[in-house]
Amino acid sequence: MVAATLIFTVLAIGADVIVRSRESDFAFTRTEVATRRVSAAVRQGAIQNPLPEGPYGVRLLQVVDAGRNVVTASRDAAGRPPISSVVPPPDNRLERLYACPAHDGGCLTVVAVRTTVARDSPVVYGARPVPWILAGPYIELILAVGALFLISMTTWAAWLVVGRTLRPVGEVRGRLAEISISDLSSRVPEPSGEDEVAQLAHTANVTLDRLERSVRLQRQFASDAAHELRTPIAALRLNLEEIALHPDDPEVGPAARAAIRAADRLESIVADLLLLAQIGTAAETPEDLDFSGLVNGELRAHRSAAGGPDRRPPITVDADLAPGLYCRGVRAQLERVVDNLLDNALQYAATTVEVRLESRSGDAVLTVGNDGPQIPRADRERVFERFARLDTARSRDAGGTGLGLAIAREIANAHRGSIAIDDGTLGTRFILRLPLVTGPTAMRRNSDA
């Protein structure tokens, strides 16, 4: 509002100066033309009495001699004393001035012309009344009132616009004040449009979505930990109590081994839960990785287990890996995803595991399939839930913590990728997609390779 006040004040002052200047030039120019004509007539001895009205409506004309007597005048100036007491000097025969107040009030625009350079030369006076609006501070008053009106209208309009603009901000603030950690389901109203307020509301809702998801994951983490740790802790406690009650009993060996297995399972669950809590945080720094090499390394490690003596029958691993595919991520986490997918395929395969790595639509696509039983379509999302088990074949006794696929999906999502289950030619097929690294980094690495 200070800026608006300054602008309108400057405009008002400028308008006043322009109006007065233009009117002054207009009045003096026309009065000077009429006065010079009378002066020329005096020099030529063709003076008239009374003087005719001058051009441009100049009605006040007088010829005054050296004794300050009015020799002749126009009808409107007859019977008046000299219009002005100013006598132009011989070296500057023309003078412009204002006569205010005039003989009958008001102000006059006066031009005085000395007819010759002689000392006793008569002087011709021509005058025009100054418009009343310019004769006093009337124009300034009018401009001041107009400026105040415009400032008031601008202030009112700005108040309406700012109020309408900030009303959604107040609604957002009020809704945010109502949201508490116990209930994060509410969202702030998003006004229509693409202005800054709408973007602020949208950003606030996105932030609330992330916060709600984080709180939900924390609560799920606590619930999962409390539920899943209860069983191995109880088993471990039972076995240890049996050992403590019968320290010299030769049959405490099975109980001790059971306690060790329970402790191992407890350790695995704790490690997996901590990994789930760390995924997507700044705990580890991502880097550009040779994903083809990473998959190949994990595949070599699992091939020995696939054909080992414990396998009846041995599992055949059929692999086709495209070289030179680079992704950005945390190496340990991506190794964990590939390891989980290969472990799952080897665990449930009947005879064959297929592994394919290719580039597709800007993504590195890893497909891991096995010829084991297919997962029903209704359960293909549930297997990615924490501690989800579909049947007795996928029980605790089969090994693992029930967190492998949940960890795989969390890692894929944290790396801006995805993981899903599809029907395979063999049985069940997992498809992992990760964005490829593009640009100079990938080109330099490919050239080095």
Side-chain angles (χ1 to χ4, degrees):
M1 295 317 303
V2 175
T5 302
L6 290 176
I7 291 173
F8 287 125
T9 301
V10 171
L11 290 176
I13 294 174
D16 179 48
V17 172
I18 291 173
V19 169
R20 286 190 175 276
S21 175
R22 290 181 65 87
E23 172 59 24
S24 175
D25 291 341
F26 176 86
F28 277 120
T29 299
R30 283 152 179 75
T31 305
E32 182 178 339
V33 170
T35 307
R36 283 184 178 275
R37 287 186 179 184
V38 175
S39 176
V42 171
R43 288 194 301 272
Q44 295 171 2
I47 192 69
Q48 300 180 35
N49 192 9
L51 295 174
E53 181 180 325
Y56 308 111
V58 179
R59 298 179 179 179
L60 299 176
L61 294 168
Q62 288 180 339
V63 178
V64 180
D65 61 15
R68 304 307 296 162
N69 299 311
V70 177
V71 177
T72 183
S74 61
R75 293 184 183 278
D76 290 353
R80 294 188 179 190
I83 294 174
S84 175
S85 60
V86 174
V87 178
D91 58 347
N92 184 15
R93 295 171 49 221
L94 186 142
E95 291 280 351
R96 290 181 171 185
L97 61 139
Y98 284 105
C100 190
H103 175 69
D104 53 355
C107 294
L108 297 176
T109 300
V110 180
V111 174
V113 177
R114 190 183 187 94
T115 57
T116 67
V117 296
R119 298 180 61 87
D120 58 350
S121 169
V123 177
V124 179
Y125 295 97
R128 280 170 49 111
V130 176
W132 69 269
I133 196 172
L134 300 177
Y138 306 112
I139 188 171
E140 286 80 4
L141 181 61
I142 293 173
L143 290 174
V145 172
L148 288 175
F149 174 76
L150 291 176
I151 292 172
S152 301
M153 293 298 296
T154 303
T155 304
W156 178 72
W159 180 79
L160 287 180
V161 172
V162 172
R164 186 179 295 110
T165 302
L166 294 182
R167 190 176 299 115
V169 177
E171 294 175 356
V172 170
R173 182 196 58 79
R175 186 64 60 84
L176 285 175
E178 296 173 359
I179 297 175
S180 64
I181 195 65
S182 59
D183 182 14
L184 295 172
S185 60
S186 298
R187 295 294 179 267
V188 300
E190 294 188 23
S192 59
E194 297 293 333
D195 58 6
E196 287 75 7
V197 177
Q199 294 177 9
L200 172 65
H202 177 70
T203 302
N205 283 335
V206 172
T207 303
L208 288 172
D209 289 339
R210 291 199 299 264
L211 180 61
E212 184 181 20
R213 181 175 180 273
S214 175
V215 172
R216 184 173 64 251
L217 290 177
Q218 289 181 359
R219 291 171 178 171
Q220 184 179 358
F221 175 87
S223 176
D224 292 342
H227 181 269
E228 291 297 324
L229 294 179
R230 187 180 296 113
T231 299
I233 289 175
L236 180 62
R237 181 182 183 86
L238 179 63
N239 291 319
L240 292 176
E241 286 178 350
E242 184 175 349
I243 294 173
L245 290 174
H246 309 284
D248 299 328
D249 192 336
E251 307 227 347
V252 298
R257 287 191 293 273
I260 293 173
R261 287 195 300 272
D264 290 340
R265 175 171 170 76
L266 184 63
E267 183 180 8
S268 298
I269 292 176
V270 171
D272 285 349
L273 288 175
L274 289 176
L275 176 59
L276 277 171
Q278 293 174 353
I279 293 174
T281 66
E284 296 179 286
T285 303
E287 57 181 321
D288 293 341
L289 302 172
D290 180 3
F291 191 62
S292 299
L294 185 148
V295 174
N296 190 40
E298 291 296 317
L299 193 57
R300 284 198 303 268
H302 284 76
R303 267 179 170 155
S304 59
D310 295 338
R311 289 286 185 179
R312 293 291 186 271
I315 303 298
T316 301
V317 179
D318 180 15
D320 182 13
L321 308 181
L325 300 184
Y326 285 82
C327 298
R328 183 167 183 79
V330 179
R331 175 178 292 275
Q333 294 182 6
L334 293 181
E335 288 176 346
R336 180 62 183 270
V337 173
V338 178
D339 178 74
N340 285 354
L341 294 180
L342 293 175
D343 276 346
N344 186 81
L346 290 172
Q347 181 177 352
Y348 296 105
T351 59
T352 306
V353 171
E354 285 187 352
V355 181
R356 299 286 182 269
L357 178 62
E358 59 183 330
S359 173
R360 191 188 306 165
S361 301
D363 292 334
V365 181
L366 175 64
T367 304
V368 181
N370 65 82
D371 60 349
Q374 287 192 347
I375 298 176
R377 288 183 178 273
D379 294 327
R380 289 180 183 176
E381 281 299 314
R382 194 161 67 87
V383 297
F384 292 104
E385 297 177 1
R386 301 179 183 186
F387 306 109
R389 297 176 179 85
L390 303 184
D391 49 41
T392 55
R394 297 174 179 264
S395 64
R396 290 188 180 88
D397 296 334
T401 62
L403 292 170
L405 292 179
I407 291 174
R409 169 159 285 187
E410 289 290 338
I411 293 175
N413 292 339
H415 287 75
R416 296 183 295 113
S418 63
I419 186 170
I421 300 175
D422 195 9
D423 290 329
T425 55
L426 297 175
T428 298
R429 182 171 61 182
F430 286 81
I431 301 176
L432 170 67
R433 303 179 72 102
L434 293 173
L436 287 170
V437 174
T438 58
T441 302
M443 294 175 62
R444 183 173 63 253
R445 291 184 179 275
N446 287 330
S447 63
D448 294 342

